[in-house]
Amino acid sequence: MDNRRPLIAGNWKMFKTCSEAVETAKHLVKLVSTSVDVDVMIAPPFTALAQVSDVVKGTCISLGAQNLYWEAEGAYTGEISPSMLVSAGCRYVIIGHSERRQYFGETDESVNKKVKSSINNSLIPVMCVGESEKERELNETFSVLDKQVKNGLEGFSHDDLKTLVIAYEPVWAIGTGKTATTDQAQEVHKFLRTTLEINFGNMLAKSIRILYGGSVKPNNIVELMSMSDVDGALVGGASLDPETFSKIVQFQNRT
Ligand code: 13P
């Protein structure tokens, strides 16, 4: 895995009120010791960010947001700017999740603007890419991913992308209980790394962390992480329960 430090990230999606989020984060802090040899991130809903930030401050758990808007401020009702996320304690931001693309009209172009504004505000972007079931059946997986990566990262230099994290989330594996096989995940991750290499050079391609997302659970994380190009996981459903998520975070204890 070269020298890439694993990142295990929990995307809480639209789950948990403020008090539930605080309780979950407190429980997780107790379960995840500071000695884990991985980076850990949780992304609660916007409403709970500031309170969860207080809970995870000084622990090995970082805070992430699930989305942002690229403008600094202005008359954009309902949107949240990068500096607002930073002021709420965020270090990471998930961008272009397939649910945002599918239900909220997000495009590669908006993803590109969001990645740019996150980098400009020192937030670590976790850019999501992935093919639908139909696209996989039509053998379009690689062309879809190639387009998402190239368009999402258009106009960036090697230096801009030093902190970038990519999450490969096959849409057909999200919340369905269907996981890509480890070979399928490795094949796509390798393809993504080669695409990065062609566009941004070998050094950057080797350093960027590529996470797998889609029905990651305690019982499949060890095998996924054994793949040379899988550098972590973006976990949905299984991140909502601290006991379950902590088992995924501590996957190294079982290897
Ligand atoms: P599940 O782990 O629930 O399949 O969700 C994956 C996901 O979308 C994480 O962002």
Side-chain angles (χ1 to χ4, degrees):
M1 209 170 86
D2 290 288
N3 281 325
R4 298 182 295 274
R5 188 174 159 84
L7 169 61
I8 304 293
N11 174 9
W12 291 4
K13 307 192 180 184
M14 199 175 74
F15 290 97
K16 297 188 190 292
T17 60
C18 289
S19 58
E20 288 165 349
V22 165
E23 281 318 302
T24 305
K26 280 187 180 162
H27 193 169
L28 188 64
V29 166
K30 281 200 197 123
L31 293 169
V32 176
S33 80
T34 45
S35 61
V36 285
D37 217 6
V38 301
D39 288 341
V40 184
M41 180 268 267
I42 51 174
F46 287 135
T47 45
L49 285 174
Q51 279 174 274
V52 171
S53 171
D54 288 339
V55 177
V56 299
K57 209 168 276 167
T59 74
C60 66
I61 301 169
S62 297
L63 193 67
Q66 300 174 19
N67 185 24
L68 87 176
Y69 190 61
W70 55 81
E71 294 289 350
E73 59 182 7
Y76 302 104
T77 302
E79 295 296 324
I80 306 285
S81 76
S83 61
M84 290 171 185
L85 297 182
V86 172
S87 75
C90 289
R91 226 178 134 223
Y92 291 83
V93 57
I94 299 169
I95 294 173
H97 191 280
S98 64
E99 286 149 16
R100 300 235 33 105
R101 294 178 190 255
Q102 195 177 341
Y103 306 130
F104 303 101
E106 209 145 293
T107 62
D108 290 344
E109 288 65 40
S110 60
V111 167
N112 182 272
K113 288 182 182 165
K114 290 181 178 195
V115 172
K116 188 171 205 168
S117 76
S118 67
I119 291 168
N120 288 342
N121 288 275
S122 304
L123 282 163
I124 301 174
V126 179
M127 185 179 89
C128 301
V129 296
E131 81 287 3
S132 67
E133 187 153 35
K134 184 132 191 263
E135 288 161 345
R136 179 162 278 266
E137 279 165 8
L138 292 171
N139 266 328
E140 291 173 0
T141 300
F142 292 150
S143 62
V144 167
L145 294 170
D146 187 62
K147 194 167 139 289
Q148 288 176 343
V149 170
K150 276 193 192 140
N151 293 347
L153 301 180
E154 197 190 314
F156 291 105
S157 73
H158 167 281
D159 274 357
D160 296 328
L161 300 178
K162 278 193 178 135
T163 63
L164 175 76
V165 175
I166 290 187
Y168 168 56
E169 298 207 322
V171 178
W172 48 271
I174 296 177
T176 58
K178 286 188 204 172
T179 327
T181 64
T182 45
D183 288 338
Q184 280 172 329
Q186 170 58 24
E187 183 187 34
V188 169
H189 283 225
K190 176 122 196 82
F191 170 81
L192 291 169
R193 206 175 298 289
T194 306
T195 306
L196 290 168
E197 184 177 346
I198 293 166
N199 289 279
F200 300 100
N202 181 258
M203 287 267 285
L204 189 80
K206 269 188 158 168
S207 70
I208 285 184
R209 292 181 289 185
I210 306 178
L211 315 183
Y212 171 78
S215 301
V216 174
K217 306 278 184 263
N219 65 9
N220 57 24
I221 184 69
V222 173
E223 205 184 340
L224 283 162
M225 290 303 293
S226 72
M227 296 289 143
S228 59
D229 287 291
V230 176
D231 308 315
L234 183 54
V235 186
S239 72
L240 297 171
D241 172 53
E243 302 271 352
T244 309
F245 188 58
S246 70
K247 287 189 187 133
I248 297 176
V249 168
Q250 287 158 342
F251 72 94
Q252 285 164 329
N253 294 350
R254 289 179 287 133
T255 53

